[in-house]
Amino acid sequence: MPKVRFIDQNIEVEVPIGTSLLDAARKIDAPEGSACGGVCACSTCHVYVQEGASLLSDAEEEEEDILDKAFDVQMTSRLGCQARLQRDGVVALRITKESLDAFYNEHPDHARPASG
């Protein structure tokens, strides 16, 4: 089964093929935002895929349109709700500041880790 590694949180989860990065985050309570509920209507699940991008579904036009509205978009940017695992292997990612901020705003019961 594929694995998703959240680099900065130092956590990893094994998920079935077809799982989105956002659903992988939800499975282990990783702090990835999802203000729209994961329906590709916002950019709060924005992540940077550092390793294993070839294991993911290709970005479609709808995802690229939403990413155009995101902050600090990079060549490795994906929306967690749209990027789905298609093959076995490891996908390593970083959750963007935008996504972290959204998560902690959406989940005030979760303590934000101290930075620095």
Side-chain angles (χ1 to χ4, degrees):
M1 275 206 303
K3 293 181 183 176
V4 180
R5 181 178 307 133
F6 296 85
I7 297 168
D8 297 324
Q9 291 72 31
N10 197 30
I11 52 178
E12 184 174 281
V13 63
E14 199 171 71
V15 293
I17 289 174
T19 302
S20 72
L21 296 178
L22 178 60
D23 285 339
R26 289 173 172 164
K27 184 174 179 180
I28 56 172
D29 209 23
E32 186 176 346
S34 60
C36 74
V39 297
C40 199
C42 71
S43 61
T44 59
C45 63
H46 180 196
V47 297
Y48 301 128
V49 178
Q50 304 293 288
E51 176 186 325
S54 65
L55 305 176
L56 299 172
S57 57
D58 291 334
E60 295 185 8
E61 188 175 340
E62 184 179 17
E63 178 181 358
E64 291 173 355
D65 289 346
I66 296 296
L67 276 172
D68 284 343
K69 301 170 189 167
F71 296 103
D72 198 21
V73 174
Q74 300 176 7
M75 292 298 294
T76 60
S77 289
R78 291 297 307 267
L79 294 182
C81 70
Q82 298 301 295
R84 295 191 174 277
L85 292 142
Q86 294 191 313
R87 296 179 252 324
D88 283 340
V90 176
V91 173
L93 61 87
R94 287 199 151 85
I95 301 171
T96 65
K97 180 182 181 322
E98 171 186 23
S99 187
L100 290 168
D101 288 346
F103 178 85
Y104 290 112
N105 287 334
E106 295 163 15
H107 301 92
D109 54 316
H110 283 69
R112 183 186 287 259
S115 60

